[in-house]
Amino acid sequence: MSDDVQWKSSVGVIGAGIQGICISLFLVKKGFKVTLIDRDEPGKNSASYGNAGHFSPYASVPINRPDVLVDVPSMLLSSTGPLALKWNYVPKMFPWFLKFIKNCSRKNMMHTAKYMHQILDLALPAYDELFEEIDISGLVESKGIIYFWTNKDLKSRELEINIRNEFGIKQQLLTPHEIHDLEPHIKQIYHGGVLYPNARHTRNPKKVLLKLFDFFLKEGGHFERQNVQTISFPPDNKPVIKTDLNFYTFDKLVVACGAFSKKLTDQVNEKIPLDTERGYHVHFKGHDHLLSRPVIFLNRGLGITPMEQGLRVVGTVEFGGLDNPPSKKRIKYLVNSAKYLFPKLGKHEDEWLGFRPTLPDFLPVIGPSKNHKNLFYSFGHHHLGWTLGAISGKIIAGMIAKENTNLNLSPYNSLRFS
Ligand SMILES: Cc1cc2nc3c(=O)[nH]c(=O)nc-3n(C[C@H](O)[C@H](O)[C@H](O)COP(=O)(O)OP(=O)(O)OC[C@H]3O[C@@H](n4cnc5c(N)ncnc54)[C@H](O)[C@@H]3O)c2cc1C
């Protein structure tokens, strides 16, 4: 938009991950005067930079489900499994775990699955609206995603497959022979698998993020690289933020800081139990030709995506908060598991730790604050924040523009924690 255009009201968006950038882009396209604020350059090191790059519209079944309660304790105690704890963080996270357990009933699992499905089903069309206007050639591929497993893991796969069938999600069960035909370089340790043919992946999440960010700037958006310290509401009820350098007042404000959002929402008297599931990646450079599409080895909670950086090996869930140092054991787990599937892999590079923003009911918070009508939230998208960037952005922009919607948005409201 050019300078002589009449802007609607001003909106500040804190956080330039995939959530903040998509929200800012949909808002600026509706004519709002948007300032996007981040303490880092977009895509520098956030979860939106280092993820597995899956667009997974099928992934509606949450991790909190009745069968995990049986498996999780032994997985947590094993130092070689896909789950890990930083013991010094257990007391802090204890209330989160209790809420998580409460949400593992079949009824709560189905509630989460239903409302994840509601937004996941719209995730790719929302991205397509944005991708129509930027050049993503070579960056986003539509070849589906394969999950495979050994017999040991079959029981929990059946639950997921059945629920996805109920939702009408396209999935194709694969025999070992079919997996081999599709991905011949993987060692044949698997007993079965499933292909989600409608899934996509990116070959470089950072490049996609920067394309969207450049588009935002081109449409007239403004970026400030600053660390936000506080949010406050003076008597006129317009949100004021204090950064390390300045004060800013906006008509409306959006918090989209991923796993770091709680540091800001706690200041405005919300009690949102956001925490993080830490995840890691490494790259095996020059080996992306070994896969045509992303694969997930379910027994080990591990994903491998062919990317411009090589094979990106991604995974593990570590409960340990935002401040603990990375764990060498987790990296070793990823590297050993990748070499188990591809014995000829050599040296890995680029060890990375990232923070999935996760609420104990595995639904995101997308909506207004309970206490301030000019404050909005979009965070807590856990393992699916990359997939849900565009649709969350579209929903928040629609709310701020006071548009009507047919969606039931109340399940995403922070009021559920009051
Ligand atoms: C290992 C791993 C693999 C994953 N794989 C996938 C996948 O394949 N598909 C999928 O859909 N999802 C995946 N995810 C999840 C997804 O990456 C996240 O849910 C998503 O990136 C979160 O986006 P966000 O914009 O909310 O947060 P982030 O990307 O974390 O961005 C938050 C931004 O806020 C900024 N910020 C924080 N505090 C402040 C402050 N006080 N002031 C200013 N700026 C601040 C940060 O600098 C950051 O840039 C994965 C996550 C991990 C860790």
Side-chain angles (χ1 to χ4, degrees):
M1 248 188 221
S2 63
D3 286 346
D4 52 2
V5 165
Q6 278 288 312
W7 293 101
K8 291 181 184 168
S9 46
S10 66
V11 186
V13 178
I14 314 173
I18 192 66
Q19 294 297 322
I21 289 180
C22 289
I23 292 164
S24 302
L25 196 40
F26 276 107
L27 281 168
V28 87
K29 284 166 73 60
K30 287 183 190 294
F32 288 92
K33 185 175 183 189
V34 183
T35 304
L36 176 62
I37 306 140
D38 201 296
R39 59 189 176 202
D40 272 328
E41 288 304 323
K44 186 150 176 247
N45 201 26
S46 60
S48 302
Y49 152 77
N51 58 67
H54 304 173
F55 297 92
S56 314
Y58 57 86
S60 43
V61 184
I63 292 176
N64 41 352
R65 37 198 259 188
D67 53 334
V68 300
L69 288 181
V70 182
D71 298 337
V72 162
S74 59
M75 280 165 124
L76 281 173
L77 292 171
S78 154
S79 61
T80 53
L83 280 187
L85 276 177
K86 289 277 193 187
W87 288 101
N88 64 352
Y89 195 70
V90 173
K92 276 197 193 140
M93 210 168 169
F94 196 65
W96 188 99
F97 283 128
L98 290 182
K99 290 190 179 73
F100 172 83
I101 291 167
K102 199 176 138 226
N103 279 292
C104 286
S105 67
R106 184 166 173 95
K107 186 172 160 239
N108 289 358
M109 171 191 75
M110 287 310 292
H111 171 82
T112 296
K114 178 176 173 188
Y115 289 104
M116 284 306 285
H117 178 63
Q118 177 177 238
I119 46 179
L120 283 167
D121 204 32
L122 301 169
L124 298 187
Y127 265 116
D128 285 340
E129 283 182 41
L130 301 178
F131 289 165
E132 264 169 27
E133 305 197 56
I134 58 175
D135 177 14
I136 49 145
S137 44
L139 285 176
V140 176
E141 298 192 334
S142 303
K143 297 180 176 173
I145 295 179
I146 294 179
Y147 286 54
F148 59 82
W149 53 79
T150 62
N151 279 345
K152 200 171 139 251
D153 200 36
L154 197 57
K155 201 170 127 249
S156 67
R157 289 317 104 210
E158 279 169 354
L159 173 76
E160 266 179 31
I161 288 167
N162 291 342
I163 296 174
R164 286 174 186 156
N165 272 341
E166 277 177 41
F167 289 147
I169 291 165
K170 260 198 180 169
Q171 48 189 343
Q172 185 186 334
L173 288 176
L174 299 174
T175 62
H177 191 76
E178 287 166 330
I179 298 173
H180 182 66
D181 280 351
L182 287 165
E183 298 295 346
H185 297 291
I186 305 172
K187 191 168 154 189
Q188 293 175 65
I189 47 87
Y190 39 73
H191 299 129
V194 62
L195 169 71
Y196 291 98
N198 292 343
R200 302 178 188 168
H201 72 279
T202 174
R203 289 186 51 80
N204 191 331
K206 180 175 179 175
K207 276 196 186 164
V208 172
L209 197 80
L210 290 181
K211 292 249 177 191
L212 294 167
F213 176 65
D214 288 346
F215 183 32
F216 161 70
L217 296 180
K218 204 173 120 225
E219 291 287 298
H222 179 67
F223 177 68
E224 287 286 340
R225 185 172 167 191
Q226 294 192 38
N227 178 47
V228 176
Q229 292 179 351
T230 61
I231 301 176
S232 57
F233 285 85
D236 68 359
N237 209 24
K238 283 199 177 184
V240 176
I241 62 169
K242 177 174 174 277
T243 70
D244 292 346
L245 305 172
N246 233 322
F247 286 90
Y248 297 86
T249 303
F250 300 102
D251 295 315
K252 317 249 184 232
L253 184 66
V254 184
V255 175
C257 294
F260 301 89
S261 302
K262 187 170 165 57
K263 294 190 177 174
L264 296 175
T265 57
D266 279 356
Q267 296 173 11
V268 289
N269 212 13
E270 291 263 14
K271 294 210 164 29
I272 303 175
L274 179 71
D275 214 297
T276 184
E277 293 172 273
R278 295 150 56 104
Y280 293 80
H281 85 213
V282 295
H283 292 140
F284 288 92
K285 295 211 164 130
H287 287 89
D288 51 310
H289 64 279
L290 293 176
L291 284 176
S292 307
R293 57 181 65 70
V295 295
I296 294 183
F297 180 22
L298 274 164
N299 302 70
R300 297 213 183 175
L302 175 92
I304 309 186
T305 306
M307 288 202 178
E308 289 184 345
Q309 294 89 341
L311 278 189
R312 178 175 284 187
V313 181
V314 178
T316 90
V317 166
E318 183 182 57
F319 298 110
L322 298 168
D323 300 323
N324 267 311
S327 310
K328 277 284 173 198
K329 267 191 185 167
R330 298 286 88 209
I331 295 288
K332 205 170 156 199
Y333 175 78
L334 287 186
V335 170
N336 289 346
S337 299
K339 289 186 174 176
Y340 174 58
L341 296 175
F342 298 98
K344 287 191 182 144
L345 285 179
K347 207 172 148 339
H348 73 276
E349 292 174 60
D350 305 336
E351 298 176 359
W352 175 84
L353 162 66
F355 302 101
R356 300 182 190 92
T358 306
L359 290 146
D361 59 0
F362 276 70
L363 281 170
V365 171
I366 307 172
S369 137
K370 78 176 162 80
N371 297 325
H372 299 281
K373 67 178 184 338
N374 295 331
L375 178 61
F376 294 80
Y377 302 139
S378 186
F379 54 76
H381 299 76
H382 54 89
H383 298 239
L384 291 163
W386 178 257
T387 307
L388 292 169
I391 184 60
S392 308
K394 195 172 168 177
I395 291 172
I396 291 283
M399 279 179 178
I400 291 178
K402 299 199 167 88
E403 292 166 4
N404 290 329
T405 174
N406 293 328
L407 299 177
N408 177 3
L409 298 177
S410 58
Y412 317 110
N413 199 298
S414 69
L415 274 173
R416 69 188 193 269
F417 301 113
S418 299

